């Protein structure tokens, strides 16, 4: 965990941090959570400076529910974004609502190890992590790019 709860402005301008919180909060308000009653909102900033949002969408067949981060990434890709420059997740309760394991891998696809991942409640940004902290020694697109043959190991 990073030593300080404040994401340094040189990594992500304060106004952008607040903008992400605003967007994520609106998304959280749209969550479809009849089962968990635990609404989550996410906002991702892409390489064009655009913000995309998502909320969790649950299902009567419980495992089919999707997370807020997943929805935000889909929106980003649909809009042409291919790099995540910052992400903020907002959720309620005492514990920090950090991205789940699956979402860490989904974010990793579009993110560098120094990606700031901000965690907030409805009022404040509570903490921040880097992608590398949340998913160390990760597997990503680079691993596949290193193989030279489509069906075999690099030779
Ligand atoms: N959830 C998210 O949307 N994002 C996370 O990173 C953590 C969990 C959702 C999934 C489910 O709808 C609810 O929160 C309770 O787990």
């Amino acid at each position: 965990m990073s030593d300080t709860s404040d994401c340094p402005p040189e990594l992500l301008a304060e106004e952008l941090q607040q903008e992400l919180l605003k967007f994520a909060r609106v998304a959280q308000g749209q969550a479809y959570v009849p089962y968990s009653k635990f609404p989550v909102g996410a906002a991702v900033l892409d390489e064009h400076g655009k913000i995309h949002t998502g909320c969790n969408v649950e299902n009567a067949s419980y495992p089919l529910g999707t997370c807020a981060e997943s929805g935000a990434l889909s929106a980003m890709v649909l809009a042409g974004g291919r790099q995540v420059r910052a992400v903020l997740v907002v959720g309620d309760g005492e514990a920090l609502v950090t991205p789940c394991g699956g979402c860490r891998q989904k974010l990793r696809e579009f993110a560098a190890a120094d990606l700031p991942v901000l965690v907030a409640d409805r009022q404040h940004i509570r903490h921040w992590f880097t992608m590398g902290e949340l998913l160390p020694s990760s597997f990503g697109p680079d691993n596949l790019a290193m193989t030279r043959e489509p069906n075999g190991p690099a030779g």
Side-chain angles (χ1 to χ4, degrees):
M1 202 188 278
S2 303
D3 287 336
T4 165
S5 58
D6 291 330
C7 179
E10 56 272 22
L11 243 165
L12 186 64
E14 176 65 24
E15 310 85 79
L16 263 177
Q17 297 187 30
Q18 292 308 319
E19 196 73 354
L20 286 169
L21 176 56
K22 213 166 71 185
F23 274 77
R25 209 166 35 212
V26 172
Q28 184 192 23
Q30 297 298 113
Y32 176 74
V33 289
Y35 309 106
S36 73
K37 313 264 195 263
F38 190 78
V40 181
V44 301
L45 177 71
D46 73 12
E47 75 272 33
H48 309 295
K50 281 196 193 152
I51 295 175
H52 311 274
T53 59
C55 61
N56 47 343
V57 180
E58 297 182 345
N59 195 281
S61 177
Y62 292 175
L64 296 182
T66 52
C67 285
E69 297 90 325
S70 190
L73 286 174
S74 294
M76 180 191 82
V77 170
L78 180 63
R82 292 293 182 272
Q83 287 171 42
V84 178
R85 292 282 158 78
V87 53
L88 183 145
V89 182
V90 61
D92 304 327
E94 212 171 296
L96 291 176
V97 181
T98 49
C100 77
C103 285
R104 293 177 193 200
Q105 183 67 36
K106 288 183 184 184
L107 288 166
R108 162 68 181 91
E109 182 70 17
F110 303 101
D114 63 356
L115 169 81
V117 179
L118 281 58
V119 178
D121 61 24
R122 292 176 195 234
Q123 280 79 41
H124 312 102
I125 296 168
R126 297 180 60 192
H127 218 98
W128 78 284
F129 303 84
T130 63
M131 183 79 242
E133 284 176 312
L134 293 179
L135 197 67
S137 308
S138 65
F139 182 89
D142 295 351
N143 293 80
L144 298 180
M146 278 188 251
T147 63
R148 290 188 214 141
E149 292 177 36
N151 294 311

